[in-house]
Amino acid sequence: MTSRGAGTAFSRKNYRLSTEPEKSKVTGIVNSRLLNDYLHRVFTSADGNQPAAAYRKHLTFQNLQEHLERLLAEENGSEESRDQVAEGRLGPSTVVLDHTSGFEGLLLVDDDLLGVIGHSNFGSIRATTCVYKGKWIYEVLISSQGLMQIGWCTLNCRFNQEEGVGDTPDSYAYDGNRVRKWNVTTTNYGKSWAAGDIVSCLIDLDEGTIAFCLNGISLGTAFDNITRGAGMAYFPAISLSFKESVAFNFGSRPLRYPVEGYRPLQDPPVADLVKARKLLGYLKNVIHIGIDVTEGKLVEKDTSMWQLQGEPTMLITLAHIFNYFSPLMCKVYLVEDVLMTFLLSILERGGAVESHPLIQQLLDLMWLLMEEYEVHECLKQLLMSLLRAYRFSPIIPDLGLQIHYLRLTIAVLKHEKSRKYLLSNVLFDVLRSVVFFYIKSPLRVEEAGLQELIPTTWWPNRFTKEGKESKEVKEESAEERLRRRAYERGCQRLKKRIEVVEGLQVQILKLLLNNKDRGGGEASRYIFLNKFRKFLQENASNRGNLTVLCPPEYMVCFLHRLIAALRFFWDGHKAKTPAALSSEEAYVPPQLFYNGKVDYFDLQRLGGLLSHLKKTLKDDLAAKANILIDPAELQAVTMDDLDEDEESATSAAQSQRPSAALAIGGALARPAWLSSPTLGRANQFLSTAAVSLMNPRRPLGTLEKIKVLTLRVEQRTREDIEGTHGNEGLLLGRPPEEPDQPITENSLLEVLDGIVMMYNLSVHQQLGKMVGVSDDVNEYAMALKDTEEKISRCPKRRRDIHEELLKSQKVFSEKLNHLSRRLAWINVTIYSKEKMQDIYWLLRVCIRTIEHGDRTGSLFAFMPEFYLSVAMNSYSALKNYFSPVNSMEELPGYEETLMRLAAILAKHFADSRIVGTDIRDSLMQALASYVCYPHSLRAVERIPEEQRISMMKNLLAPYEQRPWAQTNWILVRLWRGCGFGYRYTRLPHLLKTKPEDASLPSLQRDLSVASFQKPCPSTLLQRHMADLLRSDRDLAPSFLNSVLNQLNWAFSEFIGMIQEIQQAAERLERNFVDSRQLKVCATCFDLSVSLLRVLEMTVTLAPEIFLDWNRPSSELLLRRLAQLLNQVLNRVTAERNLFDRVVNLRLPGLESVDHYPILVAVTGILVRLLVDTDVQGTERATAVLLADPCFQLRSIQYLLGHAEPSALAAAAPATDKRHFSLHTFCPPDTEYISAEELAKVEKMLNHLSEESKQAAATTLPTSEEDLCPICYAHPISAIFRPCSHKSCKACINQHLMNNKDCFFCKATITGVDDFTKPASS
């Protein structure tokens, strides 16, 4: 290529031209006169006037270059003066952040030195240029709305991790997070900023003032009389806290909100700008002016239908223009100010993007007439400018700005060659393209125009406090109904406008997922797949790297748009291939998880590490999926001795690969972004696999299995993904349990897998976070109602109180008006019915995927853990986050989906194929939450009986070495509502308090909320439990012994902790008990109560386990139970004891610790053993209870408020405090305990009183030598074989549970016989 401005008229392409007049009609080359007229019309002078034909120079293509250079140089003289250094400014002409010396703290600065992210407590940085005279401006693009101070400082300002811009003399800052201004001291100033806002910082050194603007709206003068004079120059500066990020514009790009009279710190490229605008004018002239060769005249053309084909004259003219225009289009300022503005003007005429083919023609011209590197840089800068413009445009009522920029993005991406370049090099590499799919939420509803869209506000009146059931449903008044309907109409208007933006965003994704544009390389979809996988890896593996993490609010929008685009292509394939599945039946086949065709990075599998699974399940892989793992490689490669340099080994292995391997799809180098050591370890085990090219459903002989290397690709091709003849692509290794039926295009399966991963990474977390706005609305609505009630009750004479209440009412009303409009936006963009259907569809996808994976047997262990997590979390989101706006019950197939999810939870919470403790705990918590609600509990009851029984058997397994607390919680939920005094939703002393659960994780929050649900016991599952305990004589003792052991531990820990709490409270000095210790103490108490309830459930459902002494362990279990019950009663019921004192402290964190829950649970067990059983059972239970040395009748009397006379006499003078009594929880006071239950307690007390008197009268004194030498509480009643040592039965039976050696001689005990002391003795 020749140099610019020399040689031929155009230097980029060589065209063969014909100048013969007779060929003009054929080729389109015009005669000399017509060409002269045409060129003069195109290349007009600066004033736009054309000289008369007699005085103007004759133009041809030979002298056009000279003419064009003269036109471009016409105003150079005046422009050169502007390029000189402006007075009042010191520093480099290109202004950037000073990353070498002008910073404090740890900061991450972008490559262009204009963007910065805080990476320490409070880092500060300034620019490289300062000003001392004149009026100056720069802009800051706010990427996060956290703590930042933006403004100006001098060189003498010294900052640290605590003090930043505005905290020292001669530094001035605006803080939109706290809405304040700073200069050593601070005062209120301005408005709150949000992510996506632009702050303009203005300094007037002539008048000595500093001001700020937010999105072009002046916030007023912030500071005046600033220090000026010799040595005083001000630098742009910022201080920002951890994870906050901004981008500066000192003038390298056009200011979004220029202010008259103020200059940007960096001068715009004026000379280039004039040239670019002139050349763009010439380009427009070419588009507008056509040549009618037949008539020999110039004509005006319709620009919308302009085409280049068949007009060499026009093409040569354009080549001259682009010779000068192309290098200018590599500069970001010119691209944004000239090119983007021109392209946007084309679309301003309205209509669909398809109705403006001119943009496609212009892009064709760019690829034809510009050098490749120039086109690349121009497109890159164009997309970056579009993204900045979209992201930092203010929200206006019709969303016109966002729509405008999205339409141009679509127009650019419609151009195939441009789209593929941007996909390959820009969208996911330079830009975070998911920004195009985000619709930001306005923080200031007034500026967003929501007051016009939603003039009438409304909020739901759900004021019933949790724990109390609403006795009556208040009818909606006529005024409230009108307000609600007007509000809903406003929400619908908003929804329609947002749907326009969402539709454009989906169009962008449809272009990126196009798999038909295979001209000139790989189709767009397959480029997108590799970039999308890299995007997922960055967000999955680099949780701490702020520069690559995608904000969760972007992820939410991206997920919904991607689902819409995916289902569009999925159903389109179904229409062409009727045998395939529709998107309503979508799932991810299990072979994707183990055939190595899809990279899951270092994400955990259900069965553990991928390397471990490849070793232990290699035989199953060979038998079921025809995949062989090379034994030599398994021996050579371990997690401990992996070679960090994997490239050489890989290339050597590939060079020795048999030709059969190449037929599968070839081998390419692994992408650099997949070369992390962790990822290499995880995937090296996949580097050798043998996949049969024949039908894997048929058993294959040894000779039919071949070894091939799994591709480690830099960029997979269509054949690698979709497959070819004899190669199933992503679906290699189909197990025999998987149906031989086409699902959809393989590439769509990988997109679907990525969507599930996206939800797990951050979408669910964000869905839970945005619920806070709805909670705020409810809080303020309750406060407003409470204030209005106070106003109505306020006496007329107290005008001062009345005025204060009116002020409060006004504040609450204004806040509710603001929040209700903001909530409308959030409900439309995040919690709409359509978004709910997307999450529901994702839930069903996960359920089907898990079901298909489960059928593969041991290969189920290869499934990534996040599939189970998404199944649980998406159901939780549907139930907890969307329910205030939309009802889950209205979703199609809701009951069936609920049942299938219940079957998954019931089967897999104890699945031996799942080894991760976190996912097992999550499954247990999800099942515990599931049985708390009537509709989901009924779904559990509808699963097949075999699965129900298996679930109950797993729940009754011994508690040792597994998460027994959650298991116990599930059993308690199945019983709640059937136990003694166990029908409450809130404890009686907590009715006036509010549960604090907002900060808990999703599943734990489910459990916390479920604690206050109305009891919904399951008699069906109780019956299964009773049958299992009766029929399996080994199951019952092991289960009950583990429950008793845990009860003994939990209650002992609780007593130990309250002793420490009491000691701290009694010290004279001021002591604060650690909140964590209080929480653990309350947890131990709650565990003790729940374990007692499980014992009550067992005693009620299967009393013979304790009372039928023909069963080998019944007596021992009954004695252990009696011992623990007496221990609990004595500790809790003693007068003025430790328990009483700690309860009376009412410490925060110990709210659940009270007499009622634990005493009622113990009472329920005693009533069942002593009252609700047959005569023989009552006698046995009574005898064991009274024989326990810890038994005290006073503890039973305490339940009914019968205190000892001595205690009453001692307590009477001190206080008139009421003693605990079950009578206070009976009607008419409350309905916690029924009259029938109270009568049973009284009957039990009378029975024990009589029996204890008789026992005292008949019991003969026992000599010390006849007492058990172990416990000294019971007489000797057992003799051991063969050593003949003796003890009581209780001691030896409890000892033999864990040890077979004698207490005394350590001989192995072979048997125990009853011992009765001879009468002669």
Side-chain angles (χ1 to χ4, degrees), residues 905-939:
L905 297 177
K907 180 173 184 178
H908 297 300
F909 83 92
D911 193 337
S912 60
R913 296 171 295 182
I914 301 175
V915 300
T917 54
D918 290 341
I919 191 65
R920 289 174 72 94
D921 285 351
S922 297
L923 284 165
M924 188 74 76
Q925 289 182 18
L927 182 61
S929 173
Y930 223 72
V931 299
C932 293
Y933 300 90
H935 56 281
S936 51
L937 177 59
R938 301 299 168 250

mmCIF file of all heavy atoms in Angstrom, residues 905-939:
data_model
loop_
_atom_site.group_PDB
_atom_site.id
_atom_site.type_symbol
_atom_site.label_atom_id
_atom_site.label_comp_id
_atom_site.label_asym_id
_atom_site.label_seq_id
_atom_site.Cartn_x
_atom_site.Cartn_y
_atom_site.Cartn_z
ATOM 1 N N LEU A 905 -35.929 -34.373 46.850
ATOM 2 C CA LEU A 905 -35.421 -34.073 48.192
ATOM 3 C C LEU A 905 -35.485 -35.305 49.082
ATOM 4 O O LEU A 905 -34.549 -35.586 49.839
ATOM 5 C CB LEU A 905 -36.225 -32.927 48.810
ATOM 6 C CG LEU A 905 -36.148 -31.570 48.103
ATOM 7 C CD1 LEU A 905 -37.058 -30.563 48.785
ATOM 8 C CD2 LEU A 905 -34.725 -31.058 48.076
ATOM 9 N N ALA A 906 -36.594 -36.044 48.999
ATOM 10 C CA ALA A 906 -36.770 -37.214 49.857
ATOM 11 C C ALA A 906 -35.752 -38.296 49.540
ATOM 12 O O ALA A 906 -35.288 -39.014 50.440
ATOM 13 C CB ALA A 906 -38.188 -37.763 49.702
ATOM 14 N N LYS A 907 -35.374 -38.403 48.276
ATOM 15 C CA LYS A 907 -34.450 -39.472 47.897
ATOM 16 C C LYS A 907 -32.997 -39.094 48.122
ATOM 17 O O LYS A 907 -32.187 -39.919 48.584
ATOM 18 C CB LYS A 907 -34.661 -39.834 46.426
ATOM 19 C CG LYS A 907 -33.722 -40.943 45.947
ATOM 20 C CD LYS A 907 -34.058 -41.402 44.542
ATOM 21 C CE LYS A 907 -33.164 -42.574 44.118
ATOM 22 N NZ LYS A 907 -33.491 -43.065 42.771
ATOM 23 N N HIS A 908 -32.641 -37.861 47.822
ATOM 24 C CA HIS A 908 -31.222 -37.526 47.731
ATOM 25 C C HIS A 908 -30.649 -36.913 48.995
ATOM 26 O O HIS A 908 -29.436 -36.709 49.055
ATOM 27 C CB HIS A 908 -30.983 -36.589 46.542
ATOM 28 C CG HIS A 908 -31.313 -37.204 45.214
ATOM 29 N ND1 HIS A 908 -30.685 -38.339 44.751
ATOM 30 C CD2 HIS A 908 -32.218 -36.864 44.253
ATOM 31 C CE1 HIS A 908 -31.183 -38.668 43.559
ATOM 32 N NE2 HIS A 908 -32.114 -37.782 43.247
ATOM 33 N N PHE A 909 -31.463 -36.585 50.003
ATOM 34 C CA PHE A 909 -30.866 -36.002 51.201
ATOM 35 C C PHE A 909 -29.989 -37.021 51.923
ATOM 36 O O PHE A 909 -29.101 -36.647 52.694
ATOM 37 C CB PHE A 909 -31.954 -35.447 52.135
ATOM 38 C CG PHE A 909 -32.600 -36.466 53.030
ATOM 39 C CD1 PHE A 909 -32.118 -36.710 54.307
ATOM 40 C CD2 PHE A 909 -33.714 -37.176 52.598
ATOM 41 C CE1 PHE A 909 -32.722 -37.642 55.138
ATOM 42 C CE2 PHE A 909 -34.326 -38.105 53.420
ATOM 43 C CZ PHE A 909 -33.821 -38.343 54.696
ATOM 44 N N ALA A 910 -30.237 -38.305 51.681
ATOM 45 C CA ALA A 910 -29.396 -39.349 52.273
ATOM 46 C C ALA A 910 -28.766 -40.217 51.185
ATOM 47 O O ALA A 910 -28.439 -41.373 51.429
ATOM 48 C CB ALA A 910 -30.219 -40.201 53.225
ATOM 49 N N ASP A 911 -28.585 -39.654 49.992
ATOM 50 C CA ASP A 911 -28.040 -40.411 48.866
ATOM 51 C C ASP A 911 -26.540 -40.618 49.062
ATOM 52 O O ASP A 911 -25.779 -39.654 49.221
ATOM 53 C CB ASP A 911 -28.303 -39.639 47.560
ATOM 54 C CG ASP A 911 -28.055 -40.480 46.324
ATOM 55 O OD1 ASP A 911 -27.293 -41.462 46.417
ATOM 56 O OD2 ASP A 911 -28.626 -40.160 45.265
ATOM 57 N N SER A 912 -26.098 -41.862 49.047
ATOM 58 C CA SER A 912 -24.676 -42.156 49.264
ATOM 59 C C SER A 912 -23.812 -41.669 48.110
ATOM 60 O O SER A 912 -22.600 -41.529 48.266
ATOM 61 C CB SER A 912 -24.484 -43.662 49.463
ATOM 62 O OG SER A 912 -24.930 -44.371 48.306
ATOM 63 N N ARG A 913 -24.418 -41.387 46.944
ATOM 64 C CA ARG A 913 -23.643 -40.900 45.810
ATOM 65 C C ARG A 913 -23.247 -39.440 45.980
ATOM 66 O O ARG A 913 -22.394 -38.932 45.256
ATOM 67 C CB ARG A 913 -24.441 -41.074 44.517
ATOM 68 C CG ARG A 913 -24.728 -42.518 44.161
ATOM 69 C CD ARG A 913 -25.706 -42.618 42.991
ATOM 70 N NE ARG A 913 -27.023 -42.098 43.332
ATOM 71 C CZ ARG A 913 -28.067 -42.088 42.517
ATOM 72 N NH1 ARG A 913 -27.939 -42.569 41.285
ATOM 73 N NH2 ARG A 913 -29.231 -41.604 42.906
ATOM 74 N N ILE A 914 -23.905 -38.742 46.909
ATOM 75 C CA ILE A 914 -23.624 -37.327 47.160
ATOM 76 C C ILE A 914 -22.732 -37.243 48.390
ATOM 77 O O ILE A 914 -23.126 -37.666 49.485
ATOM 78 C CB ILE A 914 -24.927 -36.541 47.377
ATOM 79 C CG1 ILE A 914 -25.824 -36.666 46.141
ATOM 80 C CG2 ILE A 914 -24.632 -35.085 47.672
ATOM 81 C CD1 ILE A 914 -27.176 -36.016 46.306
ATOM 82 N N VAL A 915 -21.527 -36.699 48.230
ATOM 83 C CA VAL A 915 -20.553 -36.722 49.324
ATOM 84 C C VAL A 915 -20.293 -35.345 49.925
ATOM 85 O O VAL A 915 -19.804 -35.260 51.048
ATOM 86 C CB VAL A 915 -19.215 -37.331 48.837
ATOM 87 C CG1 VAL A 915 -19.422 -38.742 48.348
ATOM 88 C CG2 VAL A 915 -18.581 -36.461 47.742
ATOM 89 N N GLY A 916 -20.611 -34.287 49.236
ATOM 90 C CA GLY A 916 -20.331 -32.941 49.750
ATOM 91 C C GLY A 916 -21.197 -32.612 50.960
ATOM 92 O O GLY A 916 -22.421 -32.720 50.898
ATOM 93 N N THR A 917 -20.566 -32.192 52.035
ATOM 94 C CA THR A 917 -21.330 -31.896 53.258
ATOM 95 C C THR A 917 -22.234 -30.676 53.071
ATOM 96 O O THR A 917 -23.352 -30.650 53.598
ATOM 97 C CB THR A 917 -20.374 -31.652 54.430
ATOM 98 O OG1 THR A 917 -19.432 -30.631 54.064
ATOM 99 C CG2 THR A 917 -19.619 -32.913 54.792
ATOM 100 N N ASP A 918 -21.770 -29.688 52.318
ATOM 101 C CA ASP A 918 -22.577 -28.483 52.127
ATOM 102 C C ASP A 918 -23.859 -28.796 51.359
ATOM 103 O O ASP A 918 -24.948 -28.347 51.744
ATOM 104 C CB ASP A 918 -21.779 -27.411 51.380
ATOM 105 C CG ASP A 918 -20.677 -26.835 52.241
ATOM 106 O OD1 ASP A 918 -20.753 -26.986 53.479
ATOM 107 O OD2 ASP A 918 -19.729 -26.244 51.689
ATOM 108 N N ILE A 919 -23.736 -29.567 50.273
ATOM 109 C CA ILE A 919 -24.928 -29.853 49.483
ATOM 110 C C ILE A 919 -25.853 -30.799 50.241
ATOM 111 O O ILE A 919 -27.082 -30.700 50.151
ATOM 112 C CB ILE A 919 -24.533 -30.427 48.097
ATOM 113 C CG1 ILE A 919 -25.755 -30.484 47.159
ATOM 114 C CG2 ILE A 919 -23.911 -31.801 48.226
ATOM 115 C CD1 ILE A 919 -26.309 -29.144 46.794
ATOM 116 N N ARG A 920 -25.309 -31.695 51.037
ATOM 117 C CA ARG A 920 -26.154 -32.581 51.847
ATOM 118 C C ARG A 920 -26.913 -31.769 52.900
ATOM 119 O O ARG A 920 -28.100 -32.014 53.142
ATOM 120 C CB ARG A 920 -25.300 -33.660 52.508
ATOM 121 C CG ARG A 920 -24.762 -34.704 51.531
ATOM 122 C CD ARG A 920 -23.809 -35.664 52.215
ATOM 123 N NE ARG A 920 -24.519 -36.569 53.099
ATOM 124 C CZ ARG A 920 -24.942 -37.780 52.743
ATOM 125 N NH1 ARG A 920 -24.719 -38.213 51.507
ATOM 126 N NH2 ARG A 920 -25.559 -38.553 53.595
ATOM 127 N N ASP A 921 -26.224 -30.809 53.516
ATOM 128 C CA ASP A 921 -26.905 -29.943 54.482
ATOM 129 C C ASP A 921 -27.997 -29.123 53.806
ATOM 130 O O ASP A 921 -29.083 -28.930 54.362
ATOM 131 C CB ASP A 921 -25.895 -29.006 55.148
ATOM 132 C CG ASP A 921 -25.035 -29.722 56.166
ATOM 133 O OD1 ASP A 921 -25.343 -30.895 56.475
ATOM 134 O OD2 ASP A 921 -24.062 -29.129 56.662
ATOM 135 N N SER A 922 -27.699 -28.627 52.607
ATOM 136 C CA SER A 922 -28.703 -27.837 51.884
ATOM 137 C C SER A 922 -29.929 -28.682 51.552
ATOM 138 O O SER A 922 -31.069 -28.208 51.654
ATOM 139 C CB SER A 922 -28.097 -27.269 50.599
ATOM 140 O OG SER A 922 -27.047 -26.373 50.886
ATOM 141 N N LEU A 923 -29.707 -29.926 51.132
ATOM 142 C CA LEU A 923 -30.837 -30.815 50.842
ATOM 143 C C LEU A 923 -31.664 -31.059 52.096
ATOM 144 O O LEU A 923 -32.906 -31.053 52.050
ATOM 145 C CB LEU A 923 -30.323 -32.138 50.286
ATOM 146 C CG LEU A 923 -29.843 -32.134 48.831
ATOM 147 C CD1 LEU A 923 -29.025 -33.379 48.534
ATOM 148 C CD2 LEU A 923 -31.020 -32.037 47.880
ATOM 149 N N MET A 924 -30.986 -31.257 53.221
ATOM 150 C CA MET A 924 -31.700 -31.489 54.475
ATOM 151 C C MET A 924 -32.509 -30.257 54.875
ATOM 152 O O MET A 924 -33.668 -30.357 55.295
ATOM 153 C CB MET A 924 -30.688 -31.849 55.571
ATOM 154 C CG MET A 924 -31.317 -32.295 56.868
ATOM 155 S SD MET A 924 -31.994 -33.959 56.765
ATOM 156 C CE MET A 924 -30.508 -34.933 56.842
ATOM 157 N N GLN A 925 -31.902 -29.072 54.746
ATOM 158 C CA GLN A 925 -32.616 -27.840 55.087
ATOM 159 C C GLN A 925 -33.796 -27.616 54.150
ATOM 160 O O GLN A 925 -34.862 -27.149 54.581
ATOM 161 C CB GLN A 925 -31.654 -26.654 55.017
ATOM 162 C CG GLN A 925 -30.627 -26.633 56.124
ATOM 163 C CD GLN A 925 -29.723 -25.412 56.041
ATOM 164 O OE1 GLN A 925 -30.044 -24.432 55.382
ATOM 165 N NE2 GLN A 925 -28.582 -25.485 56.699
ATOM 166 N N ALA A 926 -33.604 -27.919 52.871
ATOM 167 C CA ALA A 926 -34.706 -27.749 51.919
ATOM 168 C C ALA A 926 -35.865 -28.684 52.265
ATOM 169 O O ALA A 926 -37.031 -28.287 52.204
ATOM 170 C CB ALA A 926 -34.209 -28.011 50.501
ATOM 171 N N LEU A 927 -35.562 -29.933 52.615
ATOM 172 C CA LEU A 927 -36.619 -30.864 53.001
ATOM 173 C C LEU A 927 -37.306 -30.398 54.280
ATOM 174 O O LEU A 927 -38.532 -30.495 54.417
ATOM 175 C CB LEU A 927 -36.032 -32.265 53.179
ATOM 176 C CG LEU A 927 -37.022 -33.372 53.532
ATOM 177 C CD1 LEU A 927 -38.077 -33.530 52.432
ATOM 178 C CD2 LEU A 927 -36.294 -34.704 53.736
ATOM 179 N N ALA A 928 -36.517 -29.869 55.226
ATOM 180 C CA ALA A 928 -37.104 -29.351 56.465
ATOM 181 C C ALA A 928 -38.050 -28.194 56.177
ATOM 182 O O ALA A 928 -39.132 -28.097 56.768
ATOM 183 C CB ALA A 928 -35.991 -28.904 57.407
ATOM 184 N N SER A 929 -37.648 -27.304 55.264
ATOM 185 C CA SER A 929 -38.537 -26.205 54.885
ATOM 186 C C SER A 929 -39.769 -26.718 54.144
ATOM 187 O O SER A 929 -40.871 -26.199 54.301
ATOM 188 C CB SER A 929 -37.773 -25.211 54.009
ATOM 189 O OG SER A 929 -38.626 -24.225 53.494
ATOM 190 N N TYR A 930 -39.569 -27.766 53.342
ATOM 191 C CA TYR A 930 -40.661 -28.327 52.530
ATOM 192 C C TYR A 930 -41.800 -28.842 53.399
ATOM 193 O O TYR A 930 -42.971 -28.695 53.053
ATOM 194 C CB TYR A 930 -40.098 -29.466 51.678
ATOM 195 C CG TYR A 930 -40.582 -29.478 50.256
ATOM 196 C CD1 TYR A 930 -40.141 -28.530 49.350
ATOM 197 C CD2 TYR A 930 -41.471 -30.438 49.806
ATOM 198 C CE1 TYR A 930 -40.557 -28.548 48.031
ATOM 199 C CE2 TYR A 930 -41.904 -30.470 48.485
ATOM 200 C CZ TYR A 930 -41.442 -29.515 47.610
ATOM 201 O OH TYR A 930 -41.869 -29.526 46.313
ATOM 202 N N VAL A 931 -41.472 -29.493 54.523
ATOM 203 C CA VAL A 931 -42.524 -30.096 55.351
ATOM 204 C C VAL A 931 -43.168 -29.089 56.283
ATOM 205 O O VAL A 931 -44.044 -29.455 57.087
ATOM 206 C CB VAL A 931 -41.957 -31.274 56.168
ATOM 207 C CG1 VAL A 931 -41.424 -32.349 55.254
ATOM 208 C CG2 VAL A 931 -40.874 -30.815 57.140
ATOM 209 N N CYS A 932 -42.765 -27.813 56.196
ATOM 210 C CA CYS A 932 -43.338 -26.787 57.073
ATOM 211 C C CYS A 932 -44.627 -26.194 56.526
ATOM 212 O O CYS A 932 -45.372 -25.551 57.273
ATOM 213 C CB CYS A 932 -42.329 -25.653 57.290
ATOM 214 S SG CYS A 932 -40.886 -26.151 58.219
ATOM 215 N N TYR A 933 -44.875 -26.349 55.261
ATOM 216 C CA TYR A 933 -46.014 -25.694 54.618
ATOM 217 C C TYR A 933 -47.004 -26.753 54.135
ATOM 218 O O TYR A 933 -46.595 -27.786 53.588
ATOM 219 C CB TYR A 933 -45.548 -24.836 53.437
ATOM 220 C CG TYR A 933 -44.589 -23.754 53.833
ATOM 221 C CD1 TYR A 933 -43.214 -23.980 53.837
ATOM 222 C CD2 TYR A 933 -45.047 -22.503 54.227
ATOM 223 C CE1 TYR A 933 -42.314 -22.991 54.214
ATOM 224 C CE2 TYR A 933 -44.157 -21.501 54.603
ATOM 225 C CZ TYR A 933 -42.801 -21.747 54.602
ATOM 226 O OH TYR A 933 -41.924 -20.755 54.979
ATOM 227 N N PRO A 934 -48.286 -26.508 54.317
ATOM 228 C CA PRO A 934 -49.276 -27.545 53.973
ATOM 229 C C PRO A 934 -49.199 -28.020 52.530
ATOM 230 O O PRO A 934 -49.241 -29.223 52.264
ATOM 231 C CB PRO A 934 -50.619 -26.856 54.275
ATOM 232 C CG PRO A 934 -50.294 -25.764 55.235
ATOM 233 C CD PRO A 934 -48.911 -25.317 54.907
ATOM 234 N N HIS A 935 -49.068 -27.074 51.568
ATOM 235 C CA HIS A 935 -49.108 -27.489 50.161
ATOM 236 C C HIS A 935 -47.894 -28.324 49.790
ATOM 237 O O HIS A 935 -48.008 -29.308 49.052
ATOM 238 C CB HIS A 935 -49.216 -26.252 49.252
ATOM 239 C CG HIS A 935 -48.131 -25.252 49.455
ATOM 240 N ND1 HIS A 935 -48.143 -24.361 50.505
ATOM 241 C CD2 HIS A 935 -47.006 -24.987 48.756
ATOM 242 C CE1 HIS A 935 -47.063 -23.597 50.437
ATOM 243 N NE2 HIS A 935 -46.358 -23.954 49.394
ATOM 244 N N SER A 936 -46.704 -27.958 50.318
ATOM 245 C CA SER A 936 -45.519 -28.752 49.988
ATOM 246 C C SER A 936 -45.478 -30.047 50.793
ATOM 247 O O SER A 936 -44.985 -31.068 50.300
ATOM 248 C CB SER A 936 -44.243 -27.932 50.221
ATOM 249 O OG SER A 936 -44.241 -27.352 51.506
ATOM 250 N N LEU A 937 -46.009 -30.045 52.015
ATOM 251 C CA LEU A 937 -46.071 -31.285 52.789
ATOM 252 C C LEU A 937 -46.995 -32.290 52.106
ATOM 253 O O LEU A 937 -46.700 -33.498 52.057
ATOM 254 C CB LEU A 937 -46.557 -30.992 54.207
ATOM 255 C CG LEU A 937 -46.735 -32.203 55.116
ATOM 256 C CD1 LEU A 937 -45.434 -32.969 55.271
ATOM 257 C CD2 LEU A 937 -47.278 -31.787 56.475
ATOM 258 N N ARG A 938 -48.094 -31.806 51.557
ATOM 259 C CA ARG A 938 -48.998 -32.722 50.842
ATOM 260 C C ARG A 938 -48.310 -33.297 49.609
ATOM 261 O O ARG A 938 -48.571 -34.429 49.197
ATOM 262 C CB ARG A 938 -50.282 -31.985 50.429
ATOM 263 C CG ARG A 938 -51.045 -31.392 51.599
ATOM 264 C CD ARG A 938 -51.517 -32.452 52.595
ATOM 265 N NE ARG A 938 -51.995 -31.867 53.835
ATOM 266 C CZ ARG A 938 -51.377 -31.964 55.006
ATOM 267 N NH1 ARG A 938 -50.243 -32.652 55.095
ATOM 268 N NH2 ARG A 938 -51.856 -31.390 56.075
ATOM 269 N N ALA A 939 -47.400 -32.508 49.005
ATOM 270 C CA ALA A 939 -46.641 -33.026 47.865
ATOM 271 C C ALA A 939 -45.730 -34.170 48.307
ATOM 272 O O ALA A 939 -45.574 -35.165 47.589
ATOM 273 C CB ALA A 939 -45.811 -31.903 47.241
#
